[in-house]
Amino acid sequence: MTQGGTAPGGRPEQGGPLTALAGLTTRGRSFLAAGIAAAICAYVLGQGALLRVGLLLAALPLVCAAVLYRTRYRVAGSRRLSPGRVPAGSEARVHLRMDNVSRLPTGLLMLQDRVPYVLGPRPRFVLDRVEPGGRREVSYRVRSDLRGRYRLGPLQLRLTDPFGLCELTRSFSTYDTLTVIPRVEPLPPVRLTGEAMGYGDGRQRSLALAGEDDVIPRGYRHGDDLRRVHWRSTARYGELMVRREEQPQRARCTVLLDTRGIAFQGTGPDSAFEWAVSGAASALVHLLERGFSVRLLTDTGDSVPGEGASGFAGASQESADAAGLMMDTLAVIGHSDGTGLSPAYDLLRGGNEGLLIAFFGDLDEEQATVAAKMSRRSNGALAFLLDSDTWGREQTDVPGPPDRTGERLRMLREAGWTALAVPRGVSITELWREADRQRTHVGVVSGAEGRS
């Protein structure tokens, strides 16, 4: 991503003469004050030589400011981010380039870029004389442990005179945006409930309708196998009709992220909410790579990417594009003002959601009941339950999940969820494997009971 340019007239933006006077340094203001004081004393004492010294002292910073103000440097600046989207805790490199597009060489230039405080200190570079048509390239690194979108720029040039009496700052108008997405952990390829509807070995095919007499035919196309001709429909419509081909059924998965502010305690990169956001991002990327049609849903009922009525990332959408859109959404997602999960439940009960993976904050009894009912419209339900009170304490004070969390887990499991508690310090990869072990154990026990 590259942006750059010059201000009107081919120069960075600059102010009027008052701006030039405001650019006087401490040394320049001292010279001006000393000159005025000397002139006043010369007038009072009638000393002509002192008056000339005073005028010289006062005129020197004013002349330097005027020269800097009239400087006709024409420079173009550009910025390139590599990459433009980085996970939290990773570094991105910013490349700056300055081109002298005028016929005159520049003097000593100080280049600085505006960056938010969370990305690190403001970078500053001193550029030597740039010849006509020449260029200078510099770079610096930025890093943030907090996800979000951060504005870089605009670039600023600081011009100074040889005496250091005046310093002017001229700014470009363009800027770039760095997107810091949640951390994504690679998840193992376990087989979860609902994956039988996916691509690969577990895919299934379905006809439009089940019965032979109810098959919905389509018109014959060149190259169709004549053995697929549906003669009854051909006689009815008066044209050659064939049976509709079997269609691969794309697996669906909904990732539900609880963003209620009352459900989480603590802030910062190590908080429970940030763990939930990172876990949701890891699950989304993993499922998209496995060929699932994925939707990101929040407790408020908002879904991403929102293509079509279902809101799922369809088969026509590239996995990388879908993942990028969801990561951009998770980069800026924050706490909602909602108090319940009913909006999400209302959206989920509208159809078959396939696999449902939820990241819940603290649930009271009422919201646990609502969450338990969500599993009815899915082919498999997996829940990660975070206890905000536990995450808010010191790690050494947390021997295990509290009784309240255990009660909520029991309610979810009785409703058909594969539910796991999320203690402080655990990784999503460990819990992902544990979820597969729990599901396999439940399946074996159920099969044994069925044979008995």
Side-chain angles (χ1 to χ4, degrees), residues 102-156:
S102 67
R103 298 180 180 180
L104 298 175
T106 69
L108 191 66
L109 302 177
M110 178 177 288
L111 177 66
Q112 68 176 9
D113 203 8
R114 291 183 179 178
V115 299
Y117 175 76
V118 296
L119 297 183
R122 178 172 297 184
R124 292 181 174 89
F125 306 92
V126 177
L127 304 181
D128 295 332
R129 176 180 178 274
V130 183
E131 66 279 3
R135 72 176 60 167
R136 296 291 185 270
E137 295 184 1
V138 293
S139 65
Y140 63 94
R141 294 177 297 179
V142 291
R143 179 181 181 273
S144 175
D145 292 327
L146 299 176
R147 55 186 176 83
R149 287 197 183 100
Y150 300 102
R151 174 171 168 171
L152 303 180
L155 282 171
Q156 291 182 329

Side-chain angles (χ1 to χ4, degrees), residues 213-234:
D213 295 336
D214 295 328
V215 171
I216 300 178
R218 62 170 176 82
Y220 175 83
R221 300 171 185 169
H222 179 71
D224 284 338
D225 190 348
L226 293 178
R227 290 175 295 181
R228 298 186 59 83
V229 174
H230 194 259
W231 297 108
R232 182 178 299 178
S233 298
T234 299

Side-chain angles (χ1 to χ4, degrees), residues 23-221:
L24 291 176
T25 62
T26 302
R27 181 186 300 176
R29 294 176 181 177
S30 300
F31 267 65
L32 183 60
I36 294 175
I40 294 176
C41 292
Y43 176 77
V44 174
L45 301 176
Q47 297 292 329
L50 184 59
L51 178 61
R52 289 190 292 269
V53 173
L55 292 177
L56 177 61
L57 292 176
L60 185 58
L62 297 178
V63 171
C64 291
V67 171
L68 281 183
Y69 174 71
R70 300 301 300 174
T71 297
R72 295 295 175 175
Y73 297 151
R74 297 181 67 246
V75 293
S78 63
R79 182 190 301 102
R80 178 171 57 88
L81 304 181
S82 178
R85 182 191 291 124
V86 296
S90 300
E91 291 184 346
R93 183 166 289 275
V94 184
H95 301 269
L96 304 178
R97 171 177 162 178
M98 299 299 300
D99 294 272
N100 184 10
V101 296
S102 67
R103 298 180 180 180
L104 298 175
T106 69
L108 191 66
L109 302 177
M110 178 177 288
L111 177 66
Q112 68 176 9
D113 203 8
R114 291 183 179 178
V115 299
Y117 175 76
V118 296
L119 297 183
R122 178 172 297 184
R124 292 181 174 89
F125 306 92
V126 177
L127 304 181
D128 295 332
R129 176 180 178 274
V130 183
E131 66 279 3
R135 72 176 60 167
R136 296 291 185 270
E137 295 184 1
V138 293
S139 65
Y140 63 94
R141 294 177 297 179
V142 291
R143 179 181 181 273
S144 175
D145 292 327
L146 299 176
R147 55 186 176 83
R149 287 197 183 100
Y150 300 102
R151 174 171 168 171
L152 303 180
L155 282 171
Q156 291 182 329
L157 278 178
R158 301 178 67 181
L159 310 178
T160 184
D161 65 280
F163 303 103
L165 301 179
C166 185
E167 186 177 79
L168 295 183
T169 300
R170 298 179 180 177
S171 299
F172 292 88
S173 58
T174 57
Y175 64 92
D176 290 288
T177 301
L178 175 68
T179 303
V180 180
I181 62 177
R183 294 183 180 92
V184 175
E185 296 185 26
L187 302 181
V190 301
R191 187 176 183 85
L192 297 173
T193 304
E195 194 173 344
M197 296 179 62
Y199 288 115
D201 296 337
R203 69 180 177 183
Q204 67 179 14
R205 295 180 179 272
S206 61
L207 293 172
L209 293 175
E212 173 69 19
D213 295 336
D214 295 328
V215 171
I216 300 178
R218 62 170 176 82
Y220 175 83
R221 300 171 185 169

Side-chain angles (χ1 to χ4, degrees), residues 304-354:
V304 178
E307 281 196 350
S310 64
F312 286 87
S316 61
Q317 188 174 14
E318 295 292 339
S319 296
D321 295 337
L325 180 60
M326 293 180 184
M327 291 301 103
D328 288 345
T329 301
L330 290 176
V332 296
I333 198 169
H335 290 299
S336 69
D337 296 330
T339 58
L341 301 172
S342 297
Y345 172 70
D346 293 338
L347 187 60
L348 287 173
R349 68 179 181 180
N352 192 340
E353 302 299 323

